[in-house]
Amino acid sequence: MIIAMQAEATTEEIDNVCQRIREFGYMPHVIRGEERTVIAAIGHGDKKEHIEQLKSLNGVENAFPILQPFKLVSREVKKQKSEIRVGDIKIGDGGFVVMAGPCSVEGREQIMTTAAAVAESGARILRGGAYKPRTSPYDFQGLAEEGLKLLAEARERTGLKIITEVLDTEDVEIVREYADILQVGARNMQNFALLKKLGEVTKPIMLKRGLSATIKEFLLSAEYIVTHGNPNVILCERGIRTFETATRNTLDLAAVPLLNELTHLPVIVDPSHATGKRSLVHPLAKATVAVGADGLMVEVHPTPEQAWSDGPQSLRLEEFSKMMDDLNPYIKLRQNEIN
Ligand code: PEP
Ligand code: MN
């Protein structure tokens, strides 16, 4: 259930409500908003008599049940959109953040060339997999720590922040050391052991939607990370599997405004994995801005023909630059609205 405190509620009154919530067998989560504090009481039941008793406590304005199965990530609990900070970058503040880079980190020259080019075009965050979830065990699995070191070097050179995937609970420590944002891949969206472990990390987590995950399942996976202690979750719509085979996946653009209704977490779109086709990335990137996403993740490679993974969907450097020329006026417009 949710307990909305009066705007003038004191710390003692808030503490007292938390205490009663615990006595009733729920876990209190205090969310301090700009105007008032809201306390989410998480647990089974939402019993009517508990709600009535909490309503009568000093400093409480109202108490009501949370209707959605996902709680802490829902808009019911927190009306204001969450802003996730990555150094001086904010995701979810109304602006539009572009993440770009190769599918996999393949070597120094490849990652440095890409990093310099995408930074020049206006990307703020460099992507690149060091641990790769490949459908076939015979495919390239990533450079592991060597890849992380190269990403860190690219960050040093360009000022870009870095996002990279963590595949396994065993790798959380090492990826956390290097990455600014830790990515959970589509195939791991319901790896609950990994999600729980990422709840203990303070760095932002970008959770990609599972290959055939419903919106409810997607948000419940985000809820795992948040209930385990890390509120810094970014959602990524990356296409879902449908009967259509002409594209690698089907980009569910409706998911973006729908998620914006259901959750306060920022939402970004990955048109590269959604389509698997280079020619479709630019038009869908434009749609991403229009539909109200908080950002974009795009695969870019200096020579996609020679890429070790996902070449057919990777933009060439000049194609990325052209796409950004198209998007930059809209990105600036959104930025001006915030300032
Ligand atoms: C990726 O971003 O490199 C990736 C593997 O994506 P997904 O998990 O969405 O397939
Ligand atoms: Mn890829």
Side-chain angles (χ1 to χ4, degrees), residues 34 39 58 65 79 102 107 147 231 235-236 241 277 320 324:
E34 267 164 34
I39 305 167
N58 286 344
K79 296 269 179 291
L235 301 170
C236 178
R241 199 165 265 187
K277 266 192 160 62
F320 179 71
M324 290 300 284

Side-chain angles (χ1 to χ4, degrees), residues 91-108:
I91 303 176
D93 68 345
F96 191 85
V97 176
V98 178
M99 312 178 182
C103 180
S104 313
V105 181
E106 298 167 5
R108 176 172 279 106

Side-chain angles (χ1 to χ4, degrees), residues 62-82:
N62 202 0
F64 42 91
I66 305 172
L67 300 174
Q68 297 287 7
F70 38 88
K71 311 289 180 189
L72 294 176
V73 305
S74 93
R75 278 270 190 192
E76 286 182 74
V77 167
K78 186 166 174 273
K79 296 269 179 291
Q80 284 158 287
K81 183 115 181 173
S82 288

Side-chain angles (χ1 to χ4, degrees), residues 12-29:
E12 288 75 35
E13 287 168 343
I14 294 169
D15 289 348
N16 183 46
V17 172
C18 289
Q19 184 54 33
R20 294 306 296 272
I21 288 171
R22 280 193 207 95
E23 285 165 16
F24 290 150
Y26 306 88
M27 262 303 288
H29 278 266

